[in-house]
Amino acid sequence: MSVNKRFDFDKKYLKDYDFIIGADEAGRGPGAGPVYAAAVCFTSLDENLKNLLEKLNDSKQLNEKTREELYNIIINNSIWAVDSGSIEEIEKLNILKTSLLTMKKCIEQVKFKINSEKISVLVDGNKKIPQLQYNQECIVKGDYKSASIAAASIIAKVERDRFMIKLDKEYPMYEWSKNKGYITKQHIEAVDKYGLTKWHRKKFFEKHFSVSEQLSLLKF
């Protein structure tokens, strides 16, 4: 899908609204690290910006170099916000609720910067954000179809990857700079050897360890 079609997709949802805000998350699947979310609103658009965003797509379909390039273009040409949901929130609420809550925080931040009540929100996936006061549309595979959601997915992904690379310096044995916290074979082997850290999502390892074993493995 071309970048023009992605922006045209967003325009269909403007209707009686002045602005579209796209929201997405990154990091629902990993067994370690916070979940990140972002919201993006393109308040103005011209052919030059479309050309710059020619490679805009679902962040998972892009390599790291392209994501970083698009990240810089997006943050300099949109109103955006990024936030994270903590390990504590994930353990208490579950990963889905934490992801939706974090997206809500980002949307509120962008809405405040826009200073308009006439906004419509496009949310990636099939779950609506609870208690969001604005019109919202759930878009399955929205990070592929929608320009604003794709942009949000890139910001969330880049910010989370940077955080996991930073954590890797403190916990190099888990190879988070490579696996970004996903439960790979190497990650599991490191957990077996070194135990769980405060950055691990304990409930994600329940099938691997019993609760008592998890408690005994807390070494960091």
Side-chain angles (χ1 to χ4, degrees), residues 79-98:
I79 296 177
W80 62 280
V82 65
D83 211 327
S84 62
S86 68
I87 302 299
E88 292 75 18
E89 288 176 297
I90 294 169
E91 294 290 288
K92 180 180 178 180
L93 302 175
N94 75 40
I95 186 61
L96 175 59
K97 290 180 180 178
T98 302

Side-chain angles (χ1 to χ4, degrees), residues 78-140:
S78 69
I79 296 177
W80 62 280
V82 65
D83 211 327
S84 62
S86 68
I87 302 299
E88 292 75 18
E89 288 176 297
I90 294 169
E91 294 290 288
K92 180 180 178 180
L93 302 175
N94 75 40
I95 186 61
L96 175 59
K97 290 180 180 178
T98 302
S99 299
L100 294 173
L101 176 62
T102 309
M103 281 193 277
K104 183 175 184 289
K105 292 177 183 177
C106 295
I107 292 163
E108 294 286 1
Q109 292 175 48
V110 171
K111 186 266 175 188
F112 179 79
K113 295 174 186 177
I114 293 173
N115 193 28
S116 172
E117 298 298 324
K118 298 177 68 175
I119 65 170
S120 185
V121 178
L122 303 184
V123 182
D124 184 49
N126 61 0
K127 302 293 184 183
K128 283 196 172 186
I129 298 173
Q131 300 179 337
L132 189 68
Q133 298 177 357
Y134 321 114
N135 179 71
Q136 63 174 308
E137 304 284 346
C138 293
I139 311 296
V140 176

